[in-house]
Amino acid sequence: MAAKSKDKSLSCFGYPLSIFFIIINEFCERFSYYGMRAVLVLYFKYFLQWDDNLSTAIYHTFVALCYLTPILGALIADSWLGKFKTIVSLSIVYTIGQAVMAVSSINDLTDHNKDGAPDVVTVHVALSMIGLILIALGTGGIKPCVSAFGGDQFEDHQEKQRSRFFSIFYLSINAGSLLSTIITPILRAQECGIHSKQRCYPLAFGVPAALMAIALVVFIVGSRMYKKVKPQGNIMIQVSKCIGFAIKNRFQHRSKQFPKREHWLDWASEKYDKRLITQTKMVLKVLFLYIPLPMFWALFDQQGSRWTLQATTMDGNFGAIQIQPDQMQTVNPILIIIMVPVVDAVIYPLIKKCKINFTPLRKITVGMFLASLAFVAAALLQVQIDKTLPVFPAAGQSQIKILNLGASSATVKFGPQIQDVTVEPLQSTDYMIFETSQLQSLNITYGNINTTLTTRLAEENRYTLGITDAQNVTNVLLSDGVTSKPEEGNNLIRFINNLGENVSITMGDTSFGTLMPLSASNYSLFPGGRTDEITATMNSVSCSASSEAFGFGAAITIVINECTPGSFDLKYFDDISPNTVHMAWQIPQYFLLTCAEVVFSVTGLEFSYSQAPSNMKAVLQAGWLLTVAVGNIIVLIVAGASKLSEQWAEYVLFAALLLAVCIIFAVMAYFYTYIDPNEIEAKLDEEEKKQVKKDLNLNENQAEVGTQL
């Protein structure tokens, strides 16, 4: 029964006014969820300092939990609280979770020594896990309720309006996810903090938290207008009980003395009616086809983990726009908006004109194949990225780079069995790898002067050998202290003083201190893709100039060669080359995966609904969401068990697994027989009417016999 209120008659353009509150609520909630999820894996890696594998594992655990909890939400709504109270209750949990995530990302919460890094990381980890669990309960719990609650607002004669509502509802989902994946990475890229400036994760998580609070308030404001259907029991519970009783009854009657039945579910006929048993058979037939589907989601949901991490090693400079790695995820919803109408209006009609029977199961098979190709494309791209990554010294090794700061060429002899290296003036070599134990001294020839430099190198470290002719010949071996490529598109900058006097250096707002002749500053971190003002002060002379436009992910040494009132000579040397593979090269893999989603996901839901009884749609919806959860669990298992050191190899592994599953599914689909649930239910209705009539005649006959007696 629907609770009645005079306000419920309010309408706008023929639609119940209440649905506009529901659509606004859904937009804000999807913005909140996808905005938080867009920056989540980078928060794990850069704030909590987890490695790629742990960040990926926790990310997919969270996503899996988000798709397991809808079953819980459906049970609570249909069997206990009803949809309205379930949405409100779990939205409160959801909002608290988002707020806890925002608090967990505040660096100053535990940064007592004000060094820019949290002192007690476990506090941030604990708060993050609590926040994510609450968010998973909230977003998953309300997922099956909101759209169904919106459908409840319409009368039986408003079928056309209800259909349009679901289209607008789906549009609000995509609009929320698209805007959030554009905006929250921009917020994350800002710098904020009380004691030190850091990437602004509190803002990136705080805005989604605020949007979820708005979603909750908007939904409650419309309370008086809603048609609230009381809980009437959950069909999933009835189906589960029917299956459980059939298995139990079959086990108890496993002896050969009991005759076999046509289907194992027929063993439930002692307790459940024929209609429920027949409908359950139809549902199980579709759920059986779901078994291979989780492998698709295992690949699809890596857009937010592995593919985002891949983008951190790429160049995001699109001219006037600098794309953040987590913003590349927006390619998917943008392509979805373009591809859905193109596929429906152009591709499918063309296939039909070619007289190809492109059945729903064939579409799903093609979708799995396209997703496999997307990961082959990702693997090929990763191979190209790996070629640009620097090689760092392993255990027992050291690296030396020669930097000639003088006016004559210099030759360095490393040993009797190692080739000599000659470096021209104001030039440098790349880093050269040596066995640390074999490199005890260096012989340097500069012009007519020979010098020997005794070395004590540390393993797994990089060094720069600076040579200059200030006064005679001066050699200095500088420890670089860089053991990894700068991430998030940042650059590492240092200065070398090639002047004869002390010089004080600043770049932007960063001071590098006072450098003595032929000494180097420490590296400092700067955002990529920008220029900064460099100022050098020597005695009473001050020189300034704008730096070169730096790329992304580089380590750069800037040598100060001259500082006079009329001249400021700077020389730039790349210690680590900037990212050279452009993020645009990820678009082909996103395109393939989006095409796969269009023919797989949309068709999968359409097929499921066409093959299931009218009152079993919720069971199939739960089963579909369960395939997403299992897919994310597969990522954890495969990534953890494979132990592959190369990322491209992991991409190939996932592509191969999905291709194998695709072949299995194609075989299953070949033997599948399509059914018409409406026709079967019509036969059941007819049989029930005949049975009712038969029972009525029997009762009448018995009554006549009783009268005669």
Side-chain angles (χ1 to χ4, degrees), residues 21 24-25 91 95 210-223 226:
F21 291 91
I24 294 170
N25 166 271
S91 290
T95 305
L211 263 291
M212 191 56 224
I214 293 170
L216 176 59
V217 170
V218 167
F219 187 75
I220 293 174
V221 165
S223 175
Y226 298 140

Side-chain angles (χ1 to χ4, degrees), residues 505-517:
I505 302 168
T506 59
M507 179 170 165
D509 296 327
T510 303
S511 172
F512 287 84
T514 300
L515 302 183
M516 294 184 295

Side-chain angles (χ1 to χ4, degrees), residues 448 476 596 605 678:
N448 298 321
V476 63
L605 286 171
N678 295 328

